[in-house]
Amino acid sequence: MEAINLADLYDSPLLDWSGIEDRLGAGLTQAPGTGGPDRHTCWLATTNPDGSPHVTGIGALWVDGCFWFETGQGTRKGRNLARDPRCVLSLAALEFDLTVAGVAEVVTDPATVADLAARWAAEGWPARVDDTGLALTAEFSAPSAGPPPWHVYRLSPRAATAVATVEPGGATRWRF
């Protein structure tokens, strides 16, 4: 992994990726007053067919060094990812703002889909595996997810940038 100090001009320290991972692993909720500046939302940026950006809020989990999210394959983000899986996820936590760039892949392993369904259910979204074993269903989801089935995606980081929002500050870019 390569780390570049983006705040060297201000004599700010290089941020430690393991600290970022530890914070992500501790979980970030979307409930007001928890995890971020009043709350946190993950934003996913994909590329529309004409090359313009498409940005939408999503629920994402950090597990095993990757972000995991779900959406219907007929949604704008689902269609964009099918055509071009490169994307960027961004979020604001209390301690830092973060962007993670990489490739999102549809998860086709039934055990992994079941594991993620259980994780989302434990956080309060009653997700469960559908009859195919490859997608999720529930009584509800975010309006931007489209109707079920919702497929699980893994976003493996290729690059990340964090800007510290607490002392001693700092900004770092990592390439994995």
Side-chain angles (χ1 to χ4, degrees):
M1 172 180 10
E2 174 191 19
I4 301 165
N5 190 340
L6 302 177
D8 204 25
L9 171 70
Y10 302 106
D11 295 321
S12 295
L14 188 70
L15 300 176
D16 180 27
W17 178 250
S18 66
I20 301 292
E21 276 196 302
D22 288 348
R23 177 64 182 97
L24 294 173
L28 296 167
T29 69
Q30 291 185 338
T34 64
D38 192 38
R39 69 181 188 100
H40 105 275
T41 298
C42 292
W43 297 94
L44 183 72
T46 61
T47 306
N48 286 319
D50 67 0
S52 65
H54 175 262
V55 180
T56 189
I58 62 168
L61 298 174
W62 178 262
V63 178
D64 296 333
C66 297
F67 275 109
W68 304 77
F69 62 93
E70 50 74 29
T71 193
Q73 292 184 328
T75 63
R76 168 58 55 204
K77 63 184 163 287
R79 293 190 316 268
N80 284 351
L81 291 170
R83 191 188 66 265
D84 183 350
R86 296 173 301 163
C87 59
V88 175
L89 184 145
S90 63
L91 65 89
L94 179 63
E95 304 84 357
F96 54 82
D97 295 334
L98 177 69
T99 62
V100 174
V103 173
E105 301 170 301
V106 177
V107 176
T108 58
D109 175 56
T112 302
V113 172
D115 177 59
L116 270 293
R119 289 174 187 269
W120 273 304
E123 289 198 355
W125 178 47
R128 61 188 180 281
V129 179
D130 73 359
D131 292 340
T132 69
L134 298 175
L136 305 177
T137 191
E139 289 69 35
F140 63 88
S141 188
S144 66
W150 300 296
H151 288 82
V152 176
Y153 291 77
R154 176 183 49 245
L155 172 56
S156 300
R158 292 190 174 170
T161 301
V163 176
T165 56
V166 297
E167 291 296 329
T172 302
R173 177 180 302 129
W174 299 271
R175 295 198 192 284
F176 304 97

